[in-house]
Amino acid sequence: MKEKYFPQETEQRWQKRWADERTFEVKEDPGREKFYCLEMLAYTSGRAHIGHVSNFAIGCALAWYKRMRGFNVLHPFGWDAFGQPAETAAIKDGTDPEKFTRDAIAYMKWQFQRMGISYDWSREIATCDPEYYKWNQWFFIRMWERGMLYRKLAPVNWCPKENISLSNEQAHGGVCWRCETPVIQKPLMQWFARITDYADQLLEGLDRLEGGWPERVINMQRNWIGRSQGADVTFQVADSHESITVFTTRIDTIFGANAIILAPEHPLLAKILEDKPQRDEVLAFAEKLKKEQRSERVEELEKHGIFTGAHTINPFNDERLPIWIANFVLIEYGTGAIMSVPSGDQRDFEFSRKYNIPFRQIKLTDDRREISPEEMETADESWSTTVNTGQWSGLSSEEANRLMTEYAEAHGFGKGAITYKLRDWGISRQRYWGTPVPMIHCERDGALPVPDDQLPVVLPKGVNLKVEGGSPLDHVPEYVNTTCPKCGGPARRDTDTMDTFVDSNWYYFRYCDPHNDQRPFDPEKAHYWMPVDQYIGGIEHAVMHLIYTRYWCKVMRDMGLVKFDEPVSRLLTQGMIIKETYYCPEHEWLFPEQVIDQKTCAICGKEVITGRVEKMSKSKKNAVDPIEMINIHGADALRLFVLFAGPPEKDKEWSDTGFEGAARYLQRIWRIAYKWNERIVSASELSINQLDLSGHQRKLRRRTHQIVRSITENFEERLHLNTCISSLMELTNEIYAFDQAVEKSGDISDSDVAVAREAFEALIPMLAPFAPHISEELWQSFGHKETLARATWPSFSPELAREEEIEVAVQVNGKLRSRIFVGADAGDDDLRVAALADEKVRASTDSREIVRVVVVPKKLVNVVVR
RNA sequence: GGGGAUGUGACGGAACAGGCAGACGUGCGGGUCUCAAAAACCCGUGAGAUAACCUCUCGUGUGGGUUCGAUUCCCACCAUCCCCACCA
């Protein structure tokens, strides 16, 4: 063992040993309790970033801890390898998306392995492997057979100049990202998954996730599902057999309705316009609204609409209400039609004011006044008391709502209804780099699945990606042209590929049985490992991925593949690593070294805008390259720093000096261990419990047990890894203090060695989750042959952790006045007596009447005086 | 517009269940070692009053409230951030 610690050499040596000995590879063991620790699969961008380090470091720490606690820990890793950026890069460079992706995986894997994360690499998967996406196709077909998928015409972002479909990102700001042509919505036949059938289950499941999932994510999912309870009410169209149904959450305001407003896409529009003179004008207007660009900012959107000439009858009071169309009514929500109640809804209010549609007041204010419509400046959306509401006038809004829903139901023109914001999930993409949809279209037999024995439908290679119109696969005749599995006649393959969220729906089930070529996974194996005990990833997946994957689990349950409803028991959304940015008005974003004194541009001398602390990005020149950092102080120091900078779920600011501090700490442990390990290894193993310990020895022993307790509890409950690291530092400082006391006493006794051994043999295993390489090296230097991965987590004794003497705060009227020291077993009465006898307390209670004495056991006494 | 989160020294953060605010680290100041520097080790470091140890006062965004006692609970406000959004 050397005097100084050299991380690079040590880290690579241990990484090799772990790989050679297959230290982290696991298999099912029914005799042992399992723990499934999962980080979100990595997108194959081509380069590791600091966010990966933070994500993996959290998971790895927990995996190490659970391993040492005796769990059979599954900690796998894989690649989210399909998707548009690889295709984009390939178009740009004229390369092949597959080559781009394979190269990215090779390079990133090398980078990730230098971080020394304790993965079972034998289970590695990449979603672009046919052996993996075969099962996406298998699931697709099973779902299609069960009616869980369907095809419908739905709008996609379309660039009319280049004739290609665009993703939402590519259509950002409403223009094509390449030629800046305004994007239009073009309807295409696309595949949808009936996730809305599971809306209620997805919502109810959230209740059970409470406690294990962050409140924030649960709220976002609730919001996303967006359940609204209300009523459907049917309005007859005047002089017609047609009727229009609207959804409302406020049926109690229906007497205030002054119009029915349809979305421009409403299917009944053409019908009600049939005999109207304004027919052509209204249809043209509707077309205009449909083409209208959906602006980024809702507030900036001007409301406009047009009267259709038709009327409906309000079923509650037989009033004739005009039918309008307007841009703010959405075809995709509710029934695509609303009743306009200006006095109770701000949007309706604005619309009616703009077009001078008269309306009526239907609610009282809080102080029970009735404001005339003319006086109103905004709508009153509150729940208060009804007025002008026929036989329901004077009721509370809630009661009127209930009674009027019942009335509508009884009279057959309405009923209670629930509406969701959640839409069916469009899984079609008109792109190349994804899982091919395994369907065949036959003129005679319609859409048919590819027979199972022909799976996977392999993505053809060497495809021209710069095609005009449709998907690149449309232009590959040898792929498209096939035969119908039913009639044997000529047929066409479906050329859509699947949304990459399909890949990430079930990858962690595949980890349980990654090489199975008969099934997506063996249900027995999944039954052993699943559900995931701890999932760790970014908040950006709070809704999409984390809803889709919950949905998929329920689908698999309904197929009989799994036996539980929720795939992830505990979720941790880690924060980002952020760093300050510098912006020069002349030279834009600057690297820190291009800035003098944090305020002047080194190139032009202009004043620099010290930007907000932001997510690291290449373009803002505030990114920190993990491999560069590993080259400076090693992976352990890097991991230690990102975990120490703050609690896992919060954003953490990068600090060069903080990173150095982490490296310094590791050297500090190394030095003190180096000083003691020879003594400890060569000393005979004495039973520490039989030794008579002196003051400094008892103190180190007590602190050791206290800190083991605190770190253990933290891992079990809060997972605030930053405070675990503080505790490790405290124990290290305690060993230094102990070492000084030993120096002072002049010689080293057997009991000194025994106490130091106990401290180091607690400290080193507890360091392993945060800095495994140095821990392994130290562990070995203390005479252990086995890897720490097979070591046992240190235990603590509450008895030994107990303070001998406790310091008790004494307050008078809640203000700190004194501190007293009492024996650890002092009871409440002892504390009371000691506190009242204290000189300072007597001074400040002198001549005043003691009303009460509050005693917090072993902590505090508060003397209340008048 | 709706939903949510956060606010503590110079800085990152700690205080677990309402009980000594500021653990741990960074930075800064001082010391030891050294010819010197770096490194290392040790000490100090919320603000103010006091010559000074003691001691006292103030202090967790602002203002109220509950309580013997509030960083912690409640109400209002201010600020910052995030998510969703003409969602009927």
Side-chain angles (χ1 to χ4, degrees):
Chain A
M1 189 176 177
K2 297 184 189 105
E3 199 167 343
K4 187 168 185 288
Y5 175 60
F6 296 95
Q8 278 74 22
E9 184 274 327
T10 310
E11 290 183 351
Q12 288 181 38
R13 183 157 38 77
W14 277 100
Q15 283 160 14
K16 184 169 184 309
R17 182 166 159 191
W18 291 330
D20 291 348
E21 295 182 2
R22 302 166 172 259
T23 306
F24 305 116
E25 294 184 17
V26 287
K27 50 179 188 287
E28 300 75 41
D29 178 356
R32 269 169 83 203
E33 206 178 331
K34 65 92 185 180
F35 189 86
Y36 192 167
C37 180
L38 179 70
E39 288 106 73
M40 288 183 184
L41 81 177
Y43 181 67
T44 49
S45 60
R47 194 161 280 271
H49 55 78
I50 207 92
H52 290 122
V53 180
S54 146
N55 186 219
F56 306 162
I58 297 165
C60 192
L62 187 61
W64 269 98
Y65 169 74
K66 288 289 179 182
R67 217 176 274 126
M68 286 192 275
R69 289 300 299 250
F71 286 84
N72 193 19
V73 175
L74 176 58
H75 192 213
F77 194 73
W79 308 95
D80 182 18
F82 270 141
Q84 178 229 321
E87 195 165 333
T88 306
I91 290 171
K92 206 170 128 198
D93 305 347
T95 57
D96 173 30
E98 171 143 21
K99 182 173 185 315
F100 175 91
T101 304
R102 297 286 170 196
D103 288 352
I105 290 176
Y107 185 64
M108 291 174 81
K109 188 172 178 180
W110 171 79
Q111 291 187 306
F112 290 173
Q113 283 178 332
R114 284 207 61 190
M115 296 173 193
I117 311 293
S118 59
Y119 289 128
D120 177 351
W121 284 101
S122 73
R123 292 170 186 263
E124 178 185 4
I125 58 170
T127 57
C128 65
D129 287 338
E131 299 75 38
Y132 181 79
Y133 69 69
K134 171 181 180 177
W135 303 108
N136 285 347
Q137 296 173 338
W138 184 89
F139 277 120
F140 187 103
I141 294 166
R142 299 290 87 79
M143 288 171 75
W144 186 80
E145 287 166 352
R146 286 164 182 264
M148 292 168 160
L149 297 179
Y150 64 100
R151 241 178 142 217
K152 77 167 182 192
L153 218 48
V156 292
N157 298 311
W158 189 264
C159 171
K161 188 174 165 201
E162 298 192 49
N163 266 334
I164 50 167
S165 67
L166 302 170
S167 67
N168 287 334
E169 306 85 72
Q170 289 172 327
H172 192 79
V175 294
C176 175
W177 64 307
R178 283 206 301 230
C179 59
E180 298 197 355
T181 312
V183 167
I184 58 165
Q185 302 291 309
K186 181 175 164 175
L188 280 182
M189 281 302 266
Q190 300 193 73
W191 293 98
F192 283 83
R194 294 187 199 275
I195 191 172
T196 50
D197 286 352
Y198 287 80
D200 262 328
Q201 283 188 49
L202 288 166
L203 202 57
E204 282 160 22
L206 291 174
D207 297 339
R208 270 171 290 141
L209 295 177
E210 230 142 330
W213 281 40
E215 210 41 55
R216 188 147 99 100
V217 175
I218 291 177
N219 282 330
M220 281 164 79
Q221 294 211 352
R222 285 217 174 95
N223 204 289
W224 185 266
I225 297 166
R227 185 182 195 269
S228 284
Q229 187 140 18
D232 280 339
V233 184
T234 301
F235 290 69
Q236 283 299 321
V237 177
D239 317 316
S240 156
H241 299 298
E242 301 296 337
S243 63
I244 295 169
T245 299
V246 304
F247 173 73
T248 176
T249 55
R250 295 300 298 268
I251 196 172
D252 55 295
T253 65
I254 198 167
F255 280 72
N258 67 342
I260 293 295
I261 310 178
L262 310 180
E265 300 88 351
H266 198 282
L268 230 52
L269 183 63
K271 197 93 184 193
I272 60 171
L273 283 170
E274 254 170 12
D275 52 350
K276 298 290 180 293
Q278 47 273 78
R279 180 173 177 273
D280 292 343
E281 189 196 350
V282 174
L283 284 178
F285 195 84
E287 280 311 309
K288 209 179 102 201
L289 291 186
K290 281 187 223 170
K291 283 191 187 139
E292 196 176 60
Q293 182 50 48
R294 275 277 159 79
S295 162
E296 293 291 299
R297 307 203 62 78
V298 168
E299 311 89 70
E300 289 166 13
L301 252 174
E302 170 81 20
K303 292 177 179 52
H304 36 253
I306 192 169
F307 174 51
T308 61
H311 290 81
T312 60
I313 308 299
N314 185 337
F316 275 87
N317 58 8
D318 294 334
E319 244 175 345
R320 272 172 76 91
L321 302 176
I323 303 174
W324 286 63
I325 60 168
N327 60 341
F328 71 97
V329 180
L330 306 173
I331 189 65
E332 64 270 17
Y333 184 76
T335 60
I338 64 159
M339 64 180 199
S340 158
V341 183
S343 52
D345 183 287
Q346 187 59 27
R347 291 158 307 167
D348 298 344
F349 182 84
E350 286 166 23
F351 189 75
S352 291
R353 274 284 153 87
K354 177 170 175 181
Y355 291 102
N356 292 315
I357 318 173
F359 62 92
R360 169 187 306 138
Q361 180 60 273
I362 33 74
K363 266 184 284 181
L364 294 179
T365 58
D366 288 345
D367 49 356
R368 304 193 68 83
R369 285 178 303 121
E370 183 185 336
I371 302 179
S372 72
E374 294 70 36
E375 282 175 88
M376 294 187 92
E377 281 166 19
T378 57
D380 170 13
E381 300 190 348
S382 68
W383 294 80
S384 61
T385 306
T386 54
V387 69
N388 304 328
T389 307
Q391 65 189 93
W392 298 277
S393 294
L395 298 176
S396 74
S397 302
E398 289 88 347
E399 206 182 352
N401 197 279
R402 190 171 53 79
L403 293 174
M404 290 167 79
T405 305
E406 282 170 14
Y407 181 88
E409 227 157 289
H411 288 76
F413 57 78
K415 62 173 196 301
I418 291 160
T419 293
Y420 300 92
K421 288 186 202 170
L422 185 71
R423 303 265 75 84
D424 273 343
W425 173 24
I427 58 173
S428 284
R429 296 292 179 272
Q430 290 72 45
R431 278 184 262 156
Y432 167 73
W433 192 232
T435 304
V437 166
M439 296 294 286
I440 291 169
H441 301 283
C442 170
E443 295 239 342
R444 245 180 64 187
D445 298 309
L448 291 166
V450 172
D452 278 2
D453 59 12
Q454 289 171 32
L455 295 182
V457 176
V458 179
L459 202 56
K461 291 178 193 285
V463 172
N464 176 19
L465 302 174
K466 298 181 192 176
V467 296
E468 289 195 358
S471 155
L473 291 176
D474 284 333
H475 302 264
V476 186
E478 57 276 27
Y479 178 79
V480 175
N481 297 324
T482 185
T483 50
C484 171
K486 196 168 171 192
C487 69
R492 287 177 60 85
R493 269 187 209 286
D494 196 293
T495 56
D496 282 353
T497 53
M498 296 182 206
D499 183 358
T500 54
F501 280 117
V502 173
D503 308 338
S504 55
N505 269 338
W506 67 282
Y507 71 99
Y508 48 89
F509 284 86
R510 183 70 178 173
Y511 285 145
C512 300
D513 189 14
H515 309 295
N516 196 327
D517 59 3
Q518 300 299 309
R519 287 185 285 189
F521 53 86
D522 177 352
E524 285 298 310
K525 289 184 175 174
H527 188 66
Y528 176 77
W529 292 113
M530 290 293 295
V532 172
D533 295 283
Q534 180 72 62
Y535 197 17
I536 303 154
I539 186 71
E540 65 272 21
H541 295 111
V543 275
M544 313 260 264
H545 165 55
L546 287 169
I547 281 197
Y548 295 146
T549 197
R550 291 179 56 224
Y551 157 65
W552 208 260
C553 181
K554 291 171 204 300
V555 167
M556 291 195 288
R557 177 204 61 200
D558 292 347
M559 290 178 180
L561 272 170
V562 302
K563 292 175 183 156
F564 44 83
D565 299 323
E566 291 295 339
V568 173
S569 309
R570 269 166 66 106
L571 173 72
L572 191 154
T573 49
Q574 101 262 14
M576 294 179 300
I577 309 289
I578 53 179
K579 192 164 180 273
E580 201 159 42
T581 54
Y582 301 98
Y583 189 85
C584 167
E586 182 104 1
H587 299 94
E588 306 200 327
W589 301 101
L590 301 177
F591 289 111
E593 54 270 24
Q594 295 174 304
V595 180
I596 303 164
D597 289 342
Q598 312 255 307
K599 55 174 192 248
T600 314
C601 173
I603 312 165
C604 62
K606 284 215 173 87
E607 197 174 330
V608 162
I609 302 160
T610 303
R612 285 215 322 274
V613 178
E614 289 189 76
K615 184 181 179 174
M616 288 188 179
S617 79
K618 232 186 202 169
S619 61
K620 293 190 176 163
K621 301 193 174 175
N622 68 340
V624 169
D625 176 22
I627 295 300
E628 244 174 70
M629 296 302 119
I630 289 173
N631 286 337
I632 299 171
H633 290 306
D636 282 343
L638 183 61
R639 291 167 59 170
L640 194 69
F641 168 72
V642 299
L643 293 174
F644 184 55
E649 66 279 4
K650 278 189 69 174
D651 286 351
K652 287 157 290 250
E653 193 178 341
W654 176 265
S655 146
D656 288 326
T657 53
F659 175 45
E660 262 159 44
R664 200 147 57 210
Y665 170 65
L666 294 178
Q667 294 288 353
R668 189 168 150 84
I669 289 193
W670 185 268
R671 273 190 304 275
I672 197 74
Y674 177 79
K675 187 167 175 185
W676 280 84
N677 68 345
E678 283 299 318
R679 292 171 194 165
I680 288 170
V681 172
S682 58
S684 55
E685 183 100 38
L686 292 167
S687 169
I688 188 171
N689 292 318
Q690 277 153 29
L691 296 167
D692 226 355
L693 301 182
S694 62
H696 67 277
Q697 295 165 343
R698 282 204 308 276
K699 175 148 192 244
L700 179 58
R701 192 148 201 233
R702 190 165 61 238
R703 294 293 287 144
T704 301
H705 284 260
Q706 284 173 351
I707 285 166
V708 173
R709 176 173 60 194
S710 108
I711 294 178
T712 307
E713 285 173 357
N714 204 320
F715 263 112
E716 291 296 332
E717 285 152 34
R718 292 184 303 161
L719 221 57
H720 276 196
L721 304 177
N722 55 327
T723 60
C724 289
I725 296 169
S726 313
S727 300
L728 290 172
M729 289 169 170
E730 280 182 81
L731 182 54
T732 310
N733 292 345
E734 212 61 64
I735 295 174
Y736 268 85
F738 170 82
D739 177 67
Q740 286 221 317
V742 171
E743 294 260 291
K744 227 181 199 170
S745 75
D747 76 330
I748 301 161
S749 65
D750 286 350
S751 30
D752 282 330
V753 173
V755 169
R757 173 185 285 134
E758 190 183 44
F760 279 112
E761 302 221 325
L763 177 65
I764 294 165
M766 292 197 298
L767 179 66
F770 310 98
H773 308 88
I774 191 176
S775 304
E776 288 273 31
E777 191 74 2
L778 287 170
W779 193 239
Q780 221 177 34
S781 82
F782 279 82
H784 299 278
K785 300 270 176 291
E786 266 273 37
T787 159
L788 266 172
R790 314 262 174 269
T792 307
W793 186 256
S795 58
F796 64 91
S797 141
E799 195 56 36
L800 289 166
R802 215 177 66 166
E803 292 288 349
E804 294 169 4
E805 197 179 40
I806 48 179
E807 191 185 345
V808 173
V810 184
Q811 299 178 331
V812 175
N813 283 356
K815 294 212 170 192
L816 184 68
R817 283 291 175 259
S818 182
R819 293 187 166 94
I820 54 175
F821 290 89
V822 296
D825 45 3
D828 292 2
D829 286 335
D830 301 326
L831 292 190
R832 183 177 295 120
V833 170
L836 290 173
D838 184 82
E839 237 176 81
K840 288 174 204 152
V841 173
R842 288 170 70 171
S844 47
T845 57
D846 196 29
S847 78
R848 300 170 79 181
E849 186 194 344
I850 294 174
V851 188
R852 196 175 156 190
V853 179
V854 181
V855 178
V856 182
K858 301 190 192 303
K859 270 195 177 153
L860 176 140
V861 180
N862 188 12
V863 181
V864 186
V865 295
R866 210 184 334 250

